[in-house]
Amino acid sequence: MKPSARFSIPAMLIVAAALLSGCGQQASSVTAPGVGPVAGAKINASEGPFGGQTVAWYAAQLNSHAVVGEAADPAWQEALWCGGKDAQGNAVASADAVTKRRGTVSCQNLYAGVDQAQGPYAGRDHGWFKAHPKERTAQAAWCQSLGKETLGATGTCAAVQTTGAGFY
């Protein structure tokens, strides 16, 4: 008997098992889309559509989208879930369910991620925003949509606010 013939059936079983290993598993084994160094984290479906992510993961998702509320932004999808809404902003959960959702680790991490996020042009300073008015406008809109346009804004949102152009 040839050595290759002796191992054909077990090898085929291993290949079949590998191909079928993802079938029938719970959503908790799904991998979230990633951005930057926190890419590819596992999803805990009982914590929301992208549940179980770290604060850094949510901040990275927000920072990678110039428009808060963009359907492609997983953090926005998680925010809708935490608020008991569907993709169109319609209420789909009771007040009690929303209270429970907001108490989950996922929603708490999302809220902390919002506090840490600095937007699509994070790290830029006053001079850069003065030289790039289009980007300043986009960053200003991003800061406003998250409520970071107040005088107490820090980081990138403060740099946009203090360029003298104000928010648009």
Side-chain angles (χ1 to χ4, degrees), residues 71-87:
D73 184 355
W76 177 248
Q77 293 174 29
E78 195 79 23
L80 289 171
W81 182 83
C82 291
K85 299 183 187 249
D86 65 12

Side-chain angles (χ1 to χ4, degrees), residues 104-163:
T104 63
V105 172
S106 175
C107 293
Q108 294 301 309
N109 286 350
L110 168 68
Y111 302 143
V114 168
D115 288 341
Q116 291 182 10
Q118 289 294 313
Y121 302 102
R124 304 309 199 289
D125 62 8
H126 307 281
W128 189 88
F129 283 115
K130 284 181 182 179
H132 297 88
K134 181 178 176 186
E135 290 81 1
R136 179 181 64 228
T137 301
Q139 180 70 32
W142 186 93
C143 294
Q144 277 186 321
S145 65
L146 288 182
K148 293 185 172 197
E149 78 280 7
T150 63
L151 292 175
T154 60
T156 304
C157 290
V160 168
Q161 185 180 21
T162 58
T163 58

Side-chain angles (χ1 to χ4, degrees), residues 39-123:
K42 296 292 181 189
I43 295 173
N44 177 353
S46 65
E47 288 271 330
F50 294 97
Q53 306 309 316
T54 65
V55 172
W57 188 85
Y58 288 114
Q61 299 300 322
L62 288 164
N63 288 341
S64 69
H65 295 274
V67 178
V68 175
E70 194 171 57
D73 184 355
W76 177 248
Q77 293 174 29
E78 195 79 23
L80 289 171
W81 182 83
C82 291
K85 299 183 187 249
D86 65 12
Q88 289 73 41
N90 300 314
V92 293
S94 69
D96 289 340
V98 170
T99 300
K100 287 179 185 175
R101 287 179 180 187
R102 289 183 177 162
T104 63
V105 172
S106 175
C107 293
Q108 294 301 309
N109 286 350
L110 168 68
Y111 302 143
V114 168
D115 288 341
Q116 291 182 10
Q118 289 294 313
Y121 302 102

